[in-house]
């Protein structure tokens, strides 16, 4: 029984580490974000609502204007986000959308340049592999395509099309597996070659999930308590085995 409890405690602590690097991000006006029960295409949790305004000077590293993110459980983290390039903050009203789908997709950041994309930089991440889901869908404009790409990751992904009634890969979002080696992710959403710059390209939001553990973070108070319980249980198991062996002799 004790060993099973210890295993559960270890799994719970491991889950807390993963959730600390899991983020839901809605690009839009403060107060307009989806409910925490909304999963979009990935999983539910607290949504950071970020205006993602164009900031200067340009840097891919930490910036004084970084928006500091909370994880999907609402806990503060050391992960910051800023954006360079996209300058058009848009509020639309697509009649095909309702509820939290509308809250995520109807407000977005647009770029109208063929050469300057909406460039989002996240810094402070643990190194490792991440699944990144990028929402890049233009309300009221199903024919408009968005180009999604990542720094140091080959290839472009194109997103767009008529709303199918639910989030669908290639229509409302792109899904990429990204390796973080220096604590940051550089994401770009832009107008494809030959695209309509007058309408532009839309970036609606982002969901990030770790696929494997990176560097081990400092223990939180709750993590310290769980680890203490695990060590106490393991000590109890070893003591009982030692005592049983001694008395058996």
């Amino acid at each position: 029984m004790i060993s099973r409890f210890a295993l559960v405690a270890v799994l719970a602590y491991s889950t807390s580490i993963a959730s600390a690097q899991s983020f839901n991000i809605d690009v839009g006006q403060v107060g307009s974000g989806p409910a925490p029960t909304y999963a979009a295409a990935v999983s539910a949790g607290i949504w950071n609502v970020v205006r993602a305004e164009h900031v200067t000077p340009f840097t891919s590293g930490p910036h004084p204007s970084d928006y500091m993110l909370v994880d999907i459980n609402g806990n503060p983290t050391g992960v910051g986000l800023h954006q360079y390039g996209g300058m058009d903050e848009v509020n639309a009203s697509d009649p095909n959308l309702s509820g939290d789908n509308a809250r995520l997709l109807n407000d977005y950041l647009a770029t109208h340049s063929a050469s300057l994309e909406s460039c989002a930089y996240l810094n402070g991440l643990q190194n490792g592999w991440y699944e990144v889901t990028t929402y890049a869908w233009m309300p009221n404009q199903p024919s408009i395509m968005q180009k999604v790409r990542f720094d140091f990751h080959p290839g472009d992904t194109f997103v767009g099309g008529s709303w199918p009634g639910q989030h669908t890969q290639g229509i409302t979002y792109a899904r990429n597996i990204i390796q973080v080696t220096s604590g940051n992710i550089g994401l770009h959403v832009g107008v494809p070659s030959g695209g309509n710059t007058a309408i532009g390209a839309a970036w609606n939001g982002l969901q990030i999930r770790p696929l494997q553990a990176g560097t081990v973070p400092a223990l939180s108070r709750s993590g310290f308590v769980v680890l203490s319980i695990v060590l106490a249980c393991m000590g109890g198991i070893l003591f009982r085995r030692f005592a049983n062996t001694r008395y058996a002799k």
Side-chain angles (χ1 to χ4, degrees):
M1 180 64 71
I2 294 178
S3 59
R4 288 182 180 178
F5 176 81
L7 177 60
V8 170
V10 169
L11 291 175
Y13 178 61
S14 299
T15 300
S16 70
I17 292 175
S19 66
Q21 292 283 287
S22 297
F23 303 97
N24 291 343
I25 302 165
D26 174 29
V27 176
Q29 300 298 317
V30 175
S32 66
T37 53
Y38 178 60
V42 186
S43 57
I46 299 296
W47 285 82
N48 296 270
V49 181
V50 181
R51 292 186 63 182
E53 298 170 308
H54 172 80
V55 300
T56 57
F58 168 79
T59 177
S60 60
H63 193 281
S65 297
D66 274 357
Y67 181 98
M68 302 309 295
L69 302 174
V70 299
D71 65 22
I72 58 173
N73 296 316
N75 299 313
T77 71
V79 179
L81 177 149
H82 68 271
Q83 187 276 145
Y84 181 92
M87 301 184 191
D88 189 10
E89 299 173 15
V90 183
N91 288 292
S93 182
D94 191 306
N96 296 301
L97 301 175
S98 62
D100 286 321
N101 289 326
R103 294 184 183 94
L104 175 62
L105 297 178
N106 266 337
D107 52 356
Y108 59 92
L109 181 72
T111 177
H112 297 280
S113 171
S115 58
L116 184 59
E117 302 158 312
S118 296
C119 302
Y121 299 97
L122 293 99
N123 288 279
L125 292 164
Q126 297 171 18
N127 290 338
W129 290 92
Y130 289 80
E131 175 192 74
V132 183
T133 302
T134 308
Y135 298 91
W137 186 79
M138 183 72 74
N140 299 310
Q141 299 285 350
S143 64
I144 295 299
M145 300 296 291
Q146 280 67 219
K147 179 181 70 176
V148 178
R149 68 179 185 87
F150 291 82
D151 289 340
F152 315 114
H153 183 76
D156 301 330
T157 305
F158 298 93
V159 182
S162 298
W163 171 249
Q166 61 185 6
H167 287 292
T168 303
Q169 187 169 348
I171 297 180
T172 59
Y173 68 87
R175 179 165 288 162
N176 298 87
I177 306 301
I178 303 298
Q179 184 180 20
V180 174
T181 58
S182 56
N184 60 70
I185 289 177
L187 160 69
H188 308 271
V189 180
V191 179
S193 177
N196 189 324
T197 55
I199 296 175
W203 176 40
N204 317 87
L206 192 65
Q207 288 180 290
I208 303 172
R209 299 290 181 271
L211 294 182
Q212 69 178 29
T215 55
V216 178
L219 286 177
S220 63
R221 181 178 299 177
S222 59
F224 180 80
V225 171
V226 171
L227 184 59
S228 298
I229 294 172
V230 172
L231 292 176
C233 291
M234 293 176 65
I237 294 170
L238 293 174
F239 177 80
R240 289 177 59 185
R241 288 181 177 177
F242 174 79
N244 290 338
T245 302
R246 184 178 181 183
Y247 289 132
K249 293 180 179 179

